[in-house]
Amino acid sequence: MKWIRLRRSKIKVFGKRGKTLPKGFQEEHTAFLHSLLTNDIKGMKPFTLSYNLWLRQNGSPIQDFFVYKTEDSYILDTEGDAKNMIQEFEKLKLSLRVYFEDITKDHLFVFGEGCENFVQSVFGQVPEEGRFFEKGGVFVANNPMRIKEKGFDIFGDVALVPEGEEVSEEDFEDLRIERAIPRIGKELREGFSPLEAGLLHSAISLTKGCYVGQEVIARIHYKGRLPRTLALFEVQNVEESERLMDEDKEVGLITSLSRKGLALGYILSSRAEKGKEYRTEKGFARLL
């Protein structure tokens, strides 16, 4: 089993029941998050989790979240700073009776062979995929979305050090790149659509109704083929943010580099060809 201590913020979102909310809503905090985030918040069942984006009006990502629904509130798990986001949420809630609390504490992520047995031995139960439980101030979630393999988020009043191999932040980042998982501030950034990052099925609902950035997302989706796509490259002498060139045309951008000679980046769909090499200023990138 492998494990890492993640630096993630936690924001509790809760509120009042309302009588003047849109049809289908009973809680003001549910209505607030549903209109702000890209996935179906209203349809979440208690003790389930989902992955969401917070977008600008132009469809570019501001932040991403794993959203955990408890019986009467939500917990937002994010890489961003809790204090700054709460300040922004306070501006956006308008007259809604919605409240925010920074509940950031320890966060472990355990994954790989043996992680399920570890959770069973420590907590006496294992949540099903996409679900979580809370026990003694500790939340345990079965979250294979974080690194595209079976893994468990353990956060809250965590007073344990797992057995197994502790993974460094650098190793975890290399694994993220190898598995082509987009990250906020890297692949999820201004100027790029989350659809180009391959997040349609994991982070975006096309049927939930309006949310910030929804019109742009829908327009790009229903046009058909995406102009660019996120891809994995084998690279040599390449730096992050370098442009990819095909002959004399700029065709892409490197967004993340691993220490193992791999990189993530965007490439024009019309120029994407498996096995092809693209030039950068000092090196090359081969599309895998």
Side-chain angles (χ1 to χ4, degrees), residues 182 193-202 226 230:
S193 169
L195 296 179
E196 296 174 320
L199 295 181
L200 172 61
H201 298 295
S202 59
L226 296 169
L230 184 64

Side-chain angles (χ1 to χ4, degrees), residues 150-165:
K150 181 177 286 295
F152 295 87
D153 288 301
I154 304 171
F155 61 89
D157 297 319
V158 182
L160 60 89
V161 177
E163 296 180 356
E165 178 187 351

Side-chain angles (χ1 to χ4, degrees), residues 20 25 42 68 83 86 90 121 137 149 154 247 254 288:
T20 59
F25 291 96
K42 183 177 68 173
Y68 301 83
K83 181 179 179 180
I86 288 173
E90 290 285 357
S121 66
E149 72 170 271
I154 304 171
E247 298 177 349
I254 295 296
L288 296 178

Side-chain angles (χ1 to χ4, degrees), residues 29 58 72-73 108 156 195 208 210 218 232 244-245 251 266 270:
H29 51 294
N58 65 3
D72 56 3
S73 65
L108 297 178
L195 296 179
K208 62 170 279 186
C210 292
L232 183 65
L244 298 174
M245 305 297 296
V251 297
Y266 287 99
S270 60

Side-chain angles (χ1 to χ4, degrees), residues 133-171:
F133 62 80
E134 186 270 334
K135 185 175 183 179
V138 178
F139 294 84
V140 181
N142 187 334
N143 184 3
M145 293 182 285
R146 191 174 295 280
I147 204 67
K148 290 186 178 178
E149 72 170 271
K150 181 177 286 295
F152 295 87
D153 288 301
I154 304 171
F155 61 89
D157 297 319
V158 182
L160 60 89
V161 177
E163 296 180 356
E165 178 187 351
E166 182 177 6
V167 175
S168 69
E169 291 184 9
E170 293 80 9
D171 288 336

